[in-house]
Amino acid sequence: MNRLVWKLLRQHISVGQLTGFFLANLFGMMIVLLSIQFYQDVLPIFTQGDSFMKKEYIIATKKISTLGSLTGKSNTFSPKDIEEMKEQPFTENVGVFTPSLFKVSAGLGMQKAGIHLSTEMFFESVPDEYVDVNLDKWLFDKETRVIPIIIPRNYLNLYNFGFAQSRSLPKLSEGLISMIQMDITLRGNGRVEQFKGQIAGFSNRLNTILVPQTFMDWANTSFAPGKVAHPSRLIVEVKNPTDTAISDYFRQKHYETEGDSLDAGKTTYFLRLITGIVMGVGLFISILSFYILMLSIFLLLQKNTVKLENLLLIGYTPKQIAFPYNILTVSLNLLVLTLSVGGVTWLHSYYTEIISTLFPQIETGTLLPCWIVGCTLFLAVSLLNIILIHRKIASIWKGKQTYRY
């Protein structure tokens, strides 16, 4: 029965209009799916480990002037300074670098390679939410006497491309250096204790030797009782790194930022903005293509009004008459979904190969976000098409009944 109805109704189908809908919807769908998939794939580059895209952080310090150095003026942040920073409209949160109040020395040796390094060093800590490496190993246990340590990645680069290369020593990878334990000696308050140091990660954001906050609180209390650790650096999470109020406030307070944190934050902001604009363009094209399809279907229904009225009069239900149109729209939407996912899959395999070459430590994501969003759009658009077609045919039937009455 539906086959006969379809043969009758397909006479006025506009191939050009349906082709326009198909191409526009395919183009819009691919933009949306590719934007979401690409964003999910590159997100680990900026959110895992030492990321500048994870959140917008600024490392703030006080300027060290010649006069201040001669007069012994402190360059640490007072509780009042920290509170003022927290109260600024551009500030989301503020963390402090807690310095060690005891002496630290470390030894590192590899007998087979003929390497033995020993040096005086320092520790600092920040709250765990500001640590930019995996926190699985970021735990201190007094029983095991192992101190997790995060060092700047440029320390390792200095050794590999400076010290090791000039002395023909073997270069050390991050994986190898993470397997080496250091001998750590802590001195203070008349106490000397031995610990083992384990490299837990490498940071590009924090240019210091980090230890867990729990260890720092315990060690300062044990080796420097009664002393107060005044922070000389703050880590500031800002709402919008492009806000000119940040640079104005820092200039007014004579504060400085480490590295290019403000520039990196601006890059992050614009990258997210561009991603949102691209996705918005794709959605806009998809919405336009949806209107093209519905316009084509409504024009087709209008041309077939007399035929539809006759079919309704001889006993066909609106549901039966709408079925061929529903099949047409759902088939087109399904074809668009299939080709869009296929195109995104091909592009995904192309750019993930480039990402893997540039960032071998990053695991590329699956196509699950693409499928979820694509299937959601397919179901939503198809369901809306079916509802609108049914309402249009039902209105023709109601109009015919009113006319007869």
Side-chain angles (χ1 to χ4, degrees), residues 133-141 146-150 175 178-179 198-201 212:
V133 300
N134 194 307
L135 298 179
D136 292 344
K137 300 179 181 179
W138 198 237
L139 299 171
F140 170 67
D141 186 357
V146 176
I147 307 171
I149 298 173
I150 295 175
S178 299
M179 298 170 61
Q198 184 73 52
I199 302 297

Side-chain angles (χ1 to χ4, degrees), residues 339-352:
L339 293 179
S340 298
V341 173
V344 172
T345 301
W346 180 77
L347 292 171
H348 174 264
S349 62
Y350 175 75
Y351 69 72
T352 50

Side-chain angles (χ1 to χ4, degrees), residues 287-358:
I287 292 172
L288 288 180
S289 67
F290 168 77
Y291 279 110
I292 292 174
L293 175 63
M294 293 313 303
L295 180 62
S296 301
I297 297 296
F298 284 171
L299 288 175
L300 183 59
L301 291 172
Q302 192 66 35
K303 291 178 181 179
N304 292 330
T305 300
V306 176
K307 297 178 182 178
L308 293 176
E309 291 175 348
N310 293 332
L311 290 173
L312 291 169
L313 288 173
I314 64 177
Y316 282 90
T317 64
K319 184 177 180 181
Q320 289 175 315
I321 296 176
F323 182 76
Y325 298 98
N326 294 336
I327 291 296
L328 175 63
T329 57
V330 171
S331 299
L332 286 173
N333 291 331
L334 183 60
L335 183 59
V336 167
L337 172 64
T338 304
L339 293 179
S340 298
V341 173
V344 172
T345 301
W346 180 77
L347 292 171
H348 174 264
S349 62
Y350 175 75
Y351 69 72
T352 50
E353 184 177 347
I354 299 176
I355 292 175
S356 299
T357 303
L358 297 175

